[in-house]
Amino acid sequence: MADSPARPWLTIVGIGEDGWDGLGAPARAAIDAAELVMGPARHLALLGEHRARMLQWPVPFADGVPLLLAERGRRVVVLASGDPFWFGAGRSLAQELGRAEWVACPTLSTFSLAAARLGWAVQDMACVPLHAAPVTRLRPDLAPGRRMVALLRDGAAVGEVAAYLRDQGFGASTLHLLEALGGPRERVRVVRADSPMPDDIAHPVAIGIDCAGEGRVLSCASGIADEWFDHDGQISKRPVRALTLSALAPRPGELLWDIGAGSGSIGIEWLLAHPANRVVALEGDPVRATRIKVNATALGVDRIDVLTGRAPDLLPHGVPDAVFIGGGLSEALLEALWARLPVGRRLVANAVTLESEALLGRWHAAKGGHLLRIDLAQAAPIGLRRGWRASYPLVQWSVTL
């Protein structure tokens, strides 16, 4: 007879503002049987008195993980907000443990409670965690008629959101201030983003945003306007960027290496293509490297690591799903990538000089793929008339290893 699986020693319990009264039977049973209950001070206060030993989770969060792991084998409960696996502590805890070591008992998330109060469909609204992220994370969703619910760290952050919306041209947005949802202190108030904010907003707080205004809206297509990026001229222009992103073909959850990243425009648009995508950008100029992070933050994407250095002397760790070479193209770099990348990875390289064009021609002849010459011209004044002003032609090689 096979041995029965070991019983999980850890229960991750989602708790709301209604405390013990809002917990289901499995969560209550786990707490009643616990030898130790860990959680932030607010969550422990919501639970109230209990016979088990209580231990406050420290700040920063990572400092509490060794304390928890030291209790392995005892009956332990960790308290988290609402649904621990929706922008909560659940994932961080689960990745430290074997799957048989833990079980979770979620309750309603703040997003679900907000939707129930506002009458919004959860699947149609953006759910944005701002309690530990810059307010610019709202940027991709700012569009008239778009609805968002954002989690905030405290009442002061409501004013920061309102100021950001005003600065972006969306001061006409309606803000629903959602305080202590689901508990006896619950309060919902409505203000416009361009109106004074209340000075008595209670924690925990979320905000529902019914977006309105005449501000700029990010396109969902590849090749957003160059004006979205701060740059010193080292940028893949919009039409070339659109063709490059099409060749790179980002898929959900993939990692891109952006080599010779310049302003970071290719990597940033890769991130905008899907919220689970990631980028490692490699840039030799320290000023440009800093600018990449600024551009990424301004456009609401922060899953980008920026390394300062030049390839192939410096290459990121790990294995990407795709590589773009926008600068620093060389025989040595292609050889290093070909030795490093597994079969099935995608590579796109752009060249503007005759020497780089010849290099891509040789590699295309040897390795296959697609070689594309891009000639662009824009209408420009010629005296009182107009004519075509040509850009330098660009050669693009795209290949799947």
Side-chain angles (χ1 to χ4, degrees), residues 126-130 133-143 146-152 157-158 160-166 168 170 173 175 207-209 211 216-218 272 296-302:
C127 300
V128 187
L130 294 183
V135 69
T136 53
R137 188 172 283 186
L138 294 170
R139 181 63 262 188
D141 286 293
L142 290 184
R146 183 70 165 140
R147 287 173 167 173
M148 295 161 270
V149 171
L151 308 180
L152 304 182
V158 173
E160 296 174 13
V161 171
Y164 180 71
L165 292 172
R166 293 194 299 269
Q168 298 300 310
F170 294 99
S173 300
L175 307 184
I207 185 170
I209 304 171
C211 193
R216 291 194 302 168
V217 177
L218 270 173
L272 288 170
T297 298
L299 289 171
V301 290
D302 52 14

Side-chain angles (χ1 to χ4, degrees), residues 331 355 357-368 371:
E331 188 93 35
E355 292 79 6
E357 180 179 334
L359 175 62
L360 293 186
R362 292 197 304 274
W363 277 75
H364 171 254
K367 304 295 185 182
L371 200 61

Side-chain angles (χ1 to χ4, degrees), residues 39-373:
R42 184 174 70 84
H43 295 153
L44 294 176
L46 288 169
L47 180 62
E49 294 295 327
H50 192 269
R51 67 172 184 82
R53 180 167 67 96
M54 302 285 189
L55 179 61
Q56 183 174 327
W57 198 281
V59 177
F61 179 86
D63 289 352
V65 174
L67 301 180
L68 172 65
L69 296 181
E71 303 293 336
R72 180 181 264 123
R74 302 180 65 195
R75 293 188 298 274
V76 180
V77 166
V78 170
L79 300 178
S81 293
D83 184 344
F85 287 90
W86 200 350
F87 300 124
R91 183 182 67 173
S92 298
L93 297 177
Q95 67 187 10
E96 299 288 341
L97 304 168
R99 184 59 191 89
E101 294 187 84
W102 61 270
V103 66
C105 299
T107 188
L108 288 174
S109 70
T110 300
F111 297 117
S112 296
L113 289 169
R117 300 299 184 268
L118 301 177
W120 297 355
V122 176
Q123 71 270 15
D124 294 332
M125 69 189 197
C127 300
V128 187
L130 294 183
H131 48 291
V135 69
T136 53
R137 188 172 283 186
L138 294 170
R139 181 63 262 188
D141 286 293
L142 290 184
R146 183 70 165 140
R147 287 173 167 173
M148 295 161 270
V149 171
L151 308 180
L152 304 182
R153 67 178 183 275
D154 54 32
V158 173
E160 296 174 13
V161 171
Y164 180 71
L165 292 172
R166 293 194 299 269
D167 291 344
Q168 298 300 310
F170 294 99
S173 300
T174 299
L175 307 184
H176 303 265
L177 311 184
L178 310 166
E179 302 166 71
L181 289 180
R185 299 185 299 118
E186 178 177 313
R187 180 168 57 176
V188 178
R189 290 180 283 180
V190 180
V191 297
R192 271 180 50 130
D194 54 7
S195 300
M197 294 296 112
D199 58 5
D200 61 343
I201 300 173
H203 179 74
V205 59
I207 185 170
I209 304 171
D210 202 343
C211 193
E214 302 297 328
R216 291 194 302 168
V217 177
L218 270 173
S219 170
C220 292
S222 297
I224 62 177
D226 298 345
E227 290 73 25
W228 284 103
F229 302 98
D230 181 24
H231 62 90
D232 59 3
Q234 191 72 16
I235 182 174
S236 297
K237 298 299 192 292
R238 183 186 62 79
V240 172
R241 199 178 330 118
L243 291 169
T244 301
L245 266 295
S246 177
L248 285 168
R251 303 166 188 169
E254 288 192 325
L255 169 65
L256 172 73
W257 286 359
D258 185 0
I259 297 177
S263 67
S265 61
I266 294 292
I268 290 170
E269 290 218 39
W270 173 279
L271 295 175
L272 288 170
H274 194 276
N277 286 358
R278 296 164 296 133
V279 170
V280 178
L282 183 61
E283 171 55 49
D285 185 311
V287 174
R288 289 174 180 163
T290 299
R291 188 180 290 121
I292 292 169
K293 290 293 291 184
V294 172
N295 282 332
T297 298
L299 289 171
V301 290
D302 52 14
R303 299 169 311 282
I304 183 168
D305 293 324
V306 182
L307 306 180
T308 303
R310 300 187 185 279
D313 296 332
L314 174 65
L315 286 175
H317 296 293
V319 178
D321 298 285
V323 176
F324 171 62
I325 305 174
L329 179 64
S330 68
E331 188 93 35
L333 175 55
L334 291 176
E335 289 175 349
L337 291 172
W338 218 263
R340 177 82 171 268
L341 300 179
V343 172
R345 270 33 180 197
R346 309 185 299 282
L347 185 147
V348 176
N350 289 350
V352 294
T353 68
L354 292 174
E355 292 79 6
S356 296
E357 180 179 334
L359 175 62
L360 293 186
R362 292 197 304 274
W363 277 75
H364 171 254
K367 304 295 185 182
H370 301 277
L371 200 61
L372 176 69
R373 179 182 167 99

